[in-house]
């Protein structure tokens, strides 16, 4: 029994020695970790000291840059910060009223309606001239000149009422007269062309044409607010250029007025050329015209 107890005690002693050795090893590792942590702590303390020094330096420099405001300066800055931002609007070529701004649109409309009325009363050409040997150019101009004369009278009456009765003062009197006469010439030629091409139905075509012009001229609202179809027509129809030219004459400015006059002149020449061709076709004698087909 004593021998067995001795062996057991010896075994326990050996296990204790092994555990002591492991504990000593762990103690050594912990000591090394502790040493490493001490080194890191020392490094961190150095960085903290350096950062504190930099912060102190920055605060000192920042405090030197802070402006010293007087009480008056503080009050002025407070008023400025409390005041909302406001823009200064500068209106170019201003007019006195909304009605005056709409005048170019209604002048152009009046001149078109006047040209339509002219060819409700007059023929696009003389039937006698068509039946004679008179040239087609002379025939077309013979029907155009009386209509143009009536349109000129309308221009005079319109501008007289515009300035004498309504009291609208144009920015350029001469330019207003020139643009109004150019508009009357173009509108008269176009209405003559429609009647020359289509006969009585040409007056209905002129009515449809003016409806398209009124919706695409941009006389009441910016054309950019209209559907795409009318923005395309805007640059193609003559009333656009009449309204723009009259607007410049009434309100001021010169931008685009030369283009307006050239386009109106182009429409006048084009309409007269078509009327001349229609007169030439009408003067051409065919067998069908000499012996019209009898229909039961």
């Amino acid at each position: 029994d004593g021998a067995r107890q001795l062996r057991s005690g010896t075994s326990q002693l050996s296990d204790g020695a092994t555990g002591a050795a492991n504990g000593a090893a762990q103690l050594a590792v912990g000591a090394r970790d502790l040493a490493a942590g001490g080194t890191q702590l020392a490094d961190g303390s150095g960085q903290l000291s350096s950062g504190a020094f930099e912060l102190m330096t920055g605060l000192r420099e920042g405090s030197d840059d802070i402006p010293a405001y007087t009480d008056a300066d503080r009050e002025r800055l407070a008023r400025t910060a409390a005041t909302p931002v406001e823009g200064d609007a500068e209106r170019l070529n201003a007019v006195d009223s909304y009605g005056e701004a709409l005048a170019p649109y209604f002048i152009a409309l009046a001149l078109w309606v006047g040209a339509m009325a002219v060819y409700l009363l007059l023929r696009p050409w003389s039937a006698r001239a068509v039946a004679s040997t008179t040239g087609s150019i002379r025939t077309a101009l013979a029907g155009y000149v009386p209509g143009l004369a009536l349109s000129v009278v309308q221009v005079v009456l319109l501008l007289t009422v515009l300035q004498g009765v309504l009291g609208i003062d144009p920015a350029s009197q001469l330019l207003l007269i020139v643009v109004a006469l150019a508009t009357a010439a173009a509108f008269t030629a176009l209405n003559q062309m429609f009647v020359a091409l289509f006969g009585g139905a040409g007056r209905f075509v002129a009515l449809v044409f003016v409806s398209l012009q009124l919706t695409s001229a941009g006389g009441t609202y910016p054309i950019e607010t209209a559907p795409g179809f009318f923005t395309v027509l805007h640059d193609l129809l003559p009333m656009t250029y009449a309204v723009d030219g009259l607007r410049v004459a009434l309100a001021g400015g010169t931008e685009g007025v030369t283009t307006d006059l050239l386009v109106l002149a182009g429409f006048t020449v084009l309409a007269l050329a078509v009327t001349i061709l229609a007169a030439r076709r009408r003067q051409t004698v065919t067998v069908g015209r000499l012996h019209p087909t009898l229909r039961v």
Side-chain angles (χ1 to χ4, degrees):
D1 292 338
R4 283 194 299 272
Q5 291 177 359
L6 178 61
R7 283 196 301 272
S8 177
T10 303
S11 177
Q12 293 175 358
L13 180 62
S14 176
D15 292 340
T18 302
N22 291 335
Q26 293 176 359
L27 180 61
V29 172
R32 285 195 300 271
D33 293 341
L34 181 60
T39 303
Q40 293 176 358
L41 179 60
D43 294 339
S45 299
Q47 293 175 359
L48 179 61
S49 177
S50 176
F53 179 76
E54 292 179 359
L55 176 61
M56 181 183 65
T57 304
L59 290 174
R60 183 181 296 112
E61 292 176 353
S63 64
D64 295 337
D65 293 335
I66 295 176
Y69 293 116
T70 64
D71 293 339
D73 292 336
R74 293 190 183 94
E75 185 179 355
R76 178 175 56 82
L77 290 174
R79 286 198 305 267
T80 302
T83 303
V85 177
E86 296 180 358
D88 293 332
E90 181 181 359
R91 187 180 296 276
L92 300 178
N93 307 319
V95 293
D96 295 332
S97 65
Y98 186 65
E100 189 171 342
L102 285 177
Y105 182 65
F106 286 104
I107 292 173
L109 174 60
L111 291 177
W112 182 272
V113 173
M116 286 180 60
V118 165
Y119 286 101
L120 283 173
L121 302 175
L122 301 181
R123 296 179 178 179
W125 49 54
S126 169
R128 180 177 297 179
V130 171
S132 67
T133 57
T134 306
S136 55
I137 296 178
R138 184 176 177 182
T139 300
L141 291 179
Y144 175 69
V145 172
L148 179 61
L150 291 176
S151 294
V152 170
V153 173
Q154 292 178 16
V155 169
V156 173
L157 294 175
L158 183 61
L159 296 186
T160 300
V161 172
L162 185 74
Q163 298 177 70
V165 178
L166 300 180
I168 294 179
D169 186 21
S172 174
Q173 180 70 49
L174 178 61
L175 183 59
L176 177 62
I177 295 173
V178 170
V179 175
L181 290 176
T183 301
F187 288 0
T188 303
L190 286 167
N191 277 277
Q192 181 194 22
M193 178 192 73
F194 288 138
V195 179
L197 284 176
F198 305 109
R203 299 180 179 91
F204 175 75
V205 175
L207 184 61
V208 174
F209 193 70
V210 72
S211 300
L212 293 175
Q213 292 188 101
L214 291 176
T215 51
S216 62
T220 53
Y221 296 98
I223 192 60
E224 291 78 11
T225 62
F229 173 74
F230 296 111
T231 59
V232 173
L233 292 180
H234 178 73
D235 296 328
L236 301 178
L237 300 181
M239 189 174 287
T240 297
Y241 303 93
V243 170
D244 186 69
L246 291 168
R247 187 174 288 155
V248 171
L250 288 172
T254 58
E255 185 177 357
V257 67
T258 302
T259 301
D260 297 331
L261 291 173
L262 290 175
V263 171
L264 290 172
F267 272 105
T268 304
V269 173
L270 177 63
L272 286 174
V274 174
T275 303
I276 290 170
L277 293 177
R280 182 173 299 173
R281 185 185 64 180
R282 187 67 179 271
Q283 288 176 320
T284 301
V285 179
T286 62
V287 175
R289 291 183 60 190
L290 291 174
H291 301 283
T293 303
L294 295 177
R295 294 185 181 182
V296 179

